[in-house]
Amino acid sequence: MFDWLNQHGETISVLTDIGTLLIWLVYAQLLYFGFRRQRRPRLLINRGRKKDIDALCIISNMSAEPVFIQHIVAELETSQGVIRLDVTDRTESYSDGDEHRQEDDSAATNPSPIVRDGSHQGPLGSGDFVHIDSFGALTRRLAHDGGIEMAGYRPLNDVVFHALTVRLICVYGSEDLPVGAERRFEFINEQPGCGLVPATWDTKRLSSPWQRRRLCREITQWNRKNDLSSTGESEG
């Protein structure tokens, strides 16, 4: 056996070096995947408290570090087009009826940990969550902004609601570009009071270079729109 080892010593040494290299490559890959998983933002958008349109829209930060919520955008897909609105700041101008006053009283009794002076903009710690409003309140707010008349949660004048999408635009850690997340919820007209179910089982992450550049453009658009709105109000 020793003679065989002496004869094939160089071959064995080469194979040993190759095996050691492969082990280190696997170990380095595991370290890289673990580091990337810790650095990758993970935001969830889900329903809370109920499963119908009265459910709260819950935002959870499952990332390893806090995120700063820059914008919360809601999109209502209707038979007349898409209504898009920045719902980062709360407003009660669209509310009418006892049910909305009850929602406001509930929000005052159990304030969201991130709401400051009526705004959801701000940092959200790792493992923390916040609700921005009920899906019904968001739907009515978007419908009011789009000039759609409502009877409860149902639109009038043959308008049909198809889906409600909630999109987050956030800043994560020391990243230069924003990151985002979105989830689409579809309306079920057959259910009493208008049901709402998620279109996908998970929240879609917006973290590719192309998606993050698109989020940058969207932030610029919302900032310009908000500046124009503020200027118009001050002049009025």
Side-chain angles (χ1 to χ4, degrees):
M1 181 177 179
F2 291 103
D3 294 337
W4 183 88
L5 290 176
N6 291 329
Q7 293 176 2
H8 301 86
E10 294 183 0
T11 303
I12 295 174
S13 177
V14 171
L15 293 176
T16 302
D17 292 340
I18 293 176
T20 303
L21 178 61
L22 291 176
I23 292 174
W24 277 108
L25 287 176
V26 172
Y27 183 68
Q29 190 175 32
L30 292 175
L31 289 177
Y32 171 73
F33 285 154
F35 174 77
R36 189 178 67 174
R37 184 168 56 251
Q38 291 181 349
R39 292 292 304 169
R40 184 173 58 182
R42 178 65 168 159
L43 300 169
L44 301 180
I45 304 172
N46 211 337
R47 297 174 298 176
R49 193 175 66 178
K50 297 181 179 181
K51 297 300 181 182
D52 56 12
I53 198 170
D54 288 321
L56 296 175
C57 182
I58 304 293
I59 297 174
S60 305
N61 177 25
M62 305 306 296
S63 311
E65 298 182 13
V67 298
F68 184 91
I69 298 179
Q70 188 79 19
H71 291 280
I72 304 174
V73 180
E75 296 179 349
L76 181 62
E77 300 175 28
T78 75
S79 57
Q80 295 184 347
V82 178
I83 303 171
R84 187 176 293 104
L85 186 64
D86 185 349
V87 296
T88 310
D89 299 330
R90 290 179 59 91
T91 176
E92 316 306 335
S93 60
Y94 62 93
S95 300
D96 53 354
D98 294 337
E99 62 181 4
H100 298 286
R101 284 194 289 272
Q102 291 175 0
E103 289 179 1
D104 298 340
D105 293 341
S106 176
T109 305
N110 302 300
S112 169
I114 198 174
V115 176
R116 302 179 182 87
D117 299 328
S119 177
H120 297 285
Q121 187 181 78
L124 185 63
S126 176
D128 290 343
F129 68 93
V130 62
H131 75 82
I132 60 174
D133 221 332
S134 71
F135 285 95
L138 290 175
T139 301
R140 291 178 62 88
R141 182 174 174 181
L142 286 160
H144 179 271
D145 189 74
I148 297 177
E149 297 182 11
M150 301 280 291
Y153 291 133
R154 294 186 179 275
L156 301 177
N157 303 323
D158 297 327
V159 179
V160 179
F161 290 164
H162 298 302
L164 174 66
T165 300
V166 177
R167 180 164 58 258
L168 309 176
I169 305 177
C170 307
V171 177
Y172 181 66
S174 59
E175 298 285 339
D176 295 329
L177 295 175
V179 296
E182 68 179 16
R183 197 173 189 187
R184 187 172 182 265
F185 298 83
E186 296 178 344
F187 290 97
I188 302 178
N189 293 322
E190 290 78 8
Q191 293 187 6
C194 189
L196 192 72
V197 296
T200 57
W201 71 272
D202 195 11
T203 304
K204 180 181 178 181
R205 183 186 295 110
L206 305 176
S207 58
S208 69
W210 177 82
Q211 291 171 331
R212 298 174 76 175
R213 286 193 294 269
R214 190 189 69 179
L215 292 175
C216 284
R217 293 192 295 269
E218 188 170 357
I219 290 176
T220 302
Q221 293 173 358
W222 283 117
N223 289 338
R224 290 176 179 174
K225 184 176 181 179
N226 293 336
D227 290 341
L228 291 175
S229 300
S230 302
T231 302
E233 293 177 358
S234 62
E235 291 178 353

